[in-house]
Amino acid sequence: MRKLTGAILATLLTTPVAFADPVDDTLVLNEETEIVTRTAAPDHLSDSLDEVMSGWLFRGKETRAMQADDFDNPGMIFVEQAMDSWNAVDGSEGKSCASCHDGLETMAGVKATYPKWDEAAGKVQTLQMQVNECRTERMGAEAWPYDKGNAINMEAALSSVSRGLPVNVAIDGPAKETWEQGKDMYYTRTGQLELSCANCHEDNYGNMIRADHLSQGQINGFPVYRLKNTKLNGSHSRFKGCIRDTRAETYKPGSPEFIALELYVTSRGNGLSVEGPSIRN
Amino acid sequence: MELTRRSAILLGASAIFVAGLPKIGAAATGDDLIAEFTGGAEVGEGDLKLVAPEIAENGNTVPIEVSSGSAAEILVLAMGNPTPSVATFKFGKLAASRAASTRIRLAGTQDVVAIAKLEDGSFVKASSTVKVTIGGCGG
Amino acid sequence: MASGVKPRVKVPKSAAAGEAITIKTLISHKMESGQRKDSDGNIIPRSIINRFTCDFNGENVVDVELAPAISTNPYFEFEALVPEAGEFKFTWYDDDGSVYETSKKIAIG
């Protein structure tokens, strides 16, 4: 079986030269905000990677340019939609997000620290869970379905005001157990193809997978506007797609497994800039 | 069905009838659309530039740009799409240049063609082959 | 009217008289091509923006006819001459008869 897996992997990961390497380019948003797209790997990765790289470096010139200007970036359409919901009163308490938080810009830096441990909830929460906690506990509104329209738009809006700030999620203290769970998932082979996240995104980034470039699978750019489906995509939905592609039964967006995996994968990008909403294939 | 002499004649007659009808509903080919735009005039090369990526990361969103010094109108076609029409740009009195950029859909690797009607009434053509890659996992 | 349609335009606030400026426009629209099928195998009917125009003080800048091969959220970039202070008017025409409009003022200086 191991031999067979190796053969499948070799076919998937053909390696035609420098073409697939990350580009040497600098991302400056709107001619003012410089984005860190490559930096020294965080300490916890010192055994496996020297440098961490944003998926932006693995995209073509046109896609990279599209992300550099907020007007050209179609992901910003959804940020604008979220700004309308930010100010819209919803639920039994007659409150909007703005009632407590003022402008969206006051949330700068928040995205960079999520997922994080929530003492009251006694678990690690993602940003979408935190938004829903506000909605159900303080606004008396219904929770938004995970990774869907309103929820992913709001995550993108919250991310947009943190762009340029370094991803910095805590992996120690009470979050450690969840982080370890995510790490185990990252290195566990799944599915009929017996592939782990690491097989592609740690061992083979910079190589081609069919006609596409394999990136490090960093999620500092999430939510991402994908050219493929022309809408915002959440990291959990992307995990789901990857796991399905290993021919495995997958988990649901918002599940404890994906919360743990989000924390771990986010921590692999500690030090890269928050980039979402980014543009990817 | 058994083909009798009578039904064969009927079939032949109806075929002639169908062929004689104008092509309503049938998809026009790229060449048809060019002929319609030019009125059958000769198409040369010259004052028209089409910029498109050599390789498109995804056929859903392919940035292109057309530009010319003296075009009144520019027709853009994706010759390999099920319906080749993409857009027609007409430049008005206050257009500062005869240039425009947009994002288009390409069903696969194919030629993107631009035809400009210049102010002198002549037509020029520019074309560019865009390779549309089939992605990796696609998630 | 198709849902969630929102026009965006980018026009400088001011220009010198006679200056050429770059304009960018983007409208959120699904641009349903009429080529796709739903999960039951039925064709999803075409629903696109079929025309876009930009005028300045009543004079045309650009008039675009769009086919279904224009990507979701149609984007255009072009250049306009600004002979005097005034207002750019942008209009998008939907297959369903809806017309979406927005305008931007520009000063000379």
Side-chain angles (χ1 to χ4, degrees), chain C:
Chain C
M1 179 169 149
S3 62
V5 177
K6 195 169 185 175
R8 302 169 81 204
V9 296
K10 188 175 181 182
V11 177
K13 286 192 172 60
S14 66
E19 192 184 340
I21 58 157
T22 298
I23 292 179
K24 294 179 180 185
T25 72
L26 189 130
I27 188 162
S28 54
H29 195 285
K30 59 189 183 320
M31 294 293 282
E32 190 59 58
S33 69
Q35 301 280 342
R36 299 199 310 159
K37 289 179 179 171
D38 65 17
S39 50
D40 296 329
N42 303 314
I43 297 262
I44 304 171
R46 173 183 137 152
S47 174
I48 68 165
I49 300 273
N50 57 50
R51 187 179 173 211
F52 162 72
T53 60
C54 168
D55 299 283
F56 181 73
N57 290 353
E59 285 281 1
N60 183 250
V61 179
V62 71
D63 186 339
V64 189
E65 190 186 315
L66 289 73
I70 294 290
S71 302
T72 310
N73 307 325
Y75 171 90
F76 292 110
E77 182 178 336
F78 50 91
E79 290 184 309
L81 278 176
V82 183
E84 72 256 338
E87 191 172 68
F88 281 100
K89 192 177 160 204
F90 304 88
T91 315
W92 291 260
Y93 299 85
D94 196 306
D95 271 352
D96 68 8
S98 306
V99 175
Y100 315 106
E101 287 176 318
T102 189
S103 54
K104 281 272 174 181
K105 286 195 167 62
I106 189 165
I108 296 299

Side-chain angles (χ1 to χ4, degrees), chain B residues 1-61:
Chain B
M1 130 184 155
E2 199 184 337
L3 197 65
T4 63
R5 183 169 167 271
R6 175 168 300 208
S7 62
I9 291 168
L10 280 174
L11 268 177
S14 59
I16 290 165
F17 181 66
V18 168
L21 281 176
K23 281 192 178 173
I24 295 169
T29 66
D31 289 337
D32 292 343
L33 293 163
I34 292 171
E36 191 187 316
F37 184 71
T38 60
E42 196 169 319
V43 180
E45 287 192 2
D47 183 18
L48 177 63
K49 203 171 133 195
L50 167 67
V51 181
E54 192 185 328
I55 299 173
E57 294 210 295
N58 193 294
N60 254 337
T61 313

Side-chain angles (χ1 to χ4, degrees), chain A residues 157-197:
Chain A
L158 290 165
S159 176
S160 73
V161 294
S162 288
R163 286 178 298 170
L165 299 172
V167 174
N168 184 21
V169 292
I171 63 173
D172 49 7
K176 192 166 196 302
E177 196 182 325
T178 309
W179 182 81
E180 293 284 0
Q181 184 197 347
K183 185 179 179 184
D184 283 349
M185 287 179 71
Y186 191 89
Y187 287 102
T188 303
R189 290 172 180 266
T190 62
Q192 290 174 324
L193 296 185
E194 284 198 76
L195 290 170
S196 71
C197 307

Side-chain angles (χ1 to χ4, degrees), chain A:
Chain A
M1 190 60 205
R2 176 104 331 167
K3 213 171 187 176
L4 181 62
T5 309
I8 293 169
L9 195 56
T11 325
L12 279 170
L13 307 170
T14 42
T15 316
V17 288
F19 183 65
D21 287 343
V23 296
D24 185 12
D25 196 359
T26 309
L27 174 57
V28 180
L29 289 181
N30 305 314
E31 296 174 359
E32 53 184 30
T33 312
E34 186 158 339
I35 297 290
V36 175
T37 54
R38 61 165 84 207
T39 190
D43 288 345
H44 71 86
L45 281 182
S46 58
D47 290 342
S48 36
L49 292 176
D50 293 332
E51 210 179 18
V52 287
M53 289 174 247
S54 161
W56 184 81
L57 295 170
F58 295 83
R59 300 278 34 114
K61 166 170 94 184
E62 292 82 12
T63 311
R64 296 202 305 277
M66 209 181 279
Q67 195 187 319
D69 181 300
D70 278 2
F71 195 88
D72 293 349
N73 181 344
M76 295 305 286
I77 296 171
F78 303 99
V79 168
E80 286 181 9
Q81 287 176 5
M83 278 154 87
D84 292 343
S85 20
W86 179 264
N87 294 310
V89 170
D90 195 4
S92 58
E93 303 305 304
K95 287 182 187 170
S96 69
C97 305
S99 309
C100 295
H101 295 289
D102 295 327
L104 183 66
E105 66 287 351
T106 62
M107 306 305 280
V110 172
K111 173 71 162 80
T113 63
Y114 274 85
K116 73 168 167 197
W117 179 258
D118 185 290
E119 199 57 54
K123 60 181 177 185
V124 168
Q125 296 217 116
T126 64
L127 191 51
Q128 285 187 42
M129 290 161 78
Q130 181 60 53
V131 169
N132 272 337
E133 184 188 307
C134 281
R135 288 182 57 78
T136 55
E137 305 299 311
R138 288 177 271 289
M139 294 167 66
E142 278 183 29
W144 283 328
Y146 212 91
D147 267 3
K148 294 278 181 6
N150 282 321
I152 199 70
N153 291 358
M154 188 57 75
E155 186 182 339
L158 290 165
S159 176
S160 73
V161 294
S162 288
R163 286 178 298 170
L165 299 172
V167 174
N168 184 21
V169 292
I171 63 173
D172 49 7
K176 192 166 196 302
E177 196 182 325
T178 309
W179 182 81
E180 293 284 0
Q181 184 197 347
K183 185 179 179 184
D184 283 349
M185 287 179 71
Y186 191 89
Y187 287 102
T188 303
R189 290 172 180 266
T190 62
Q192 290 174 324
L193 296 185
E194 284 198 76
L195 290 170
S196 71
C197 307
N199 292 145
C200 288
H201 296 291
E202 183 172 287
D203 305 340
N204 280 291
Y205 69 86
N207 290 334
M208 300 296 278
I209 184 153
R210 295 179 71 206
D212 206 354
H213 302 185
L214 261 179
S215 74
Q216 284 187 347
Q218 296 288 352
I219 56 173
N220 60 307
F222 275 80
V224 304
Y225 180 89
R226 292 188 66 188
L227 302 177
K228 169 190 155 135
N229 58 16
T230 61
K231 65 182 179 82
L232 288 178
N233 296 256
S235 59
H236 291 200
S237 302
R238 179 69 247 208
F239 295 155
K240 185 179 157 189
C242 273
I243 292 178
R244 184 203 56 214
D245 288 346
T246 69
R247 311 273 189 273
E249 286 287 340
T250 183
Y251 307 100
K252 284 193 172 63
S255 62
E257 289 83 2
F258 280 164
I259 294 163
L261 190 58
E262 182 183 342
L263 174 61
Y264 177 68
V265 179
T266 305
S267 79
R268 291 175 68 94
N270 269 352
L272 293 173
S273 295
V274 173
E275 227 184 86
S278 66
I279 314 269
R280 301 287 187 264
N281 191 20

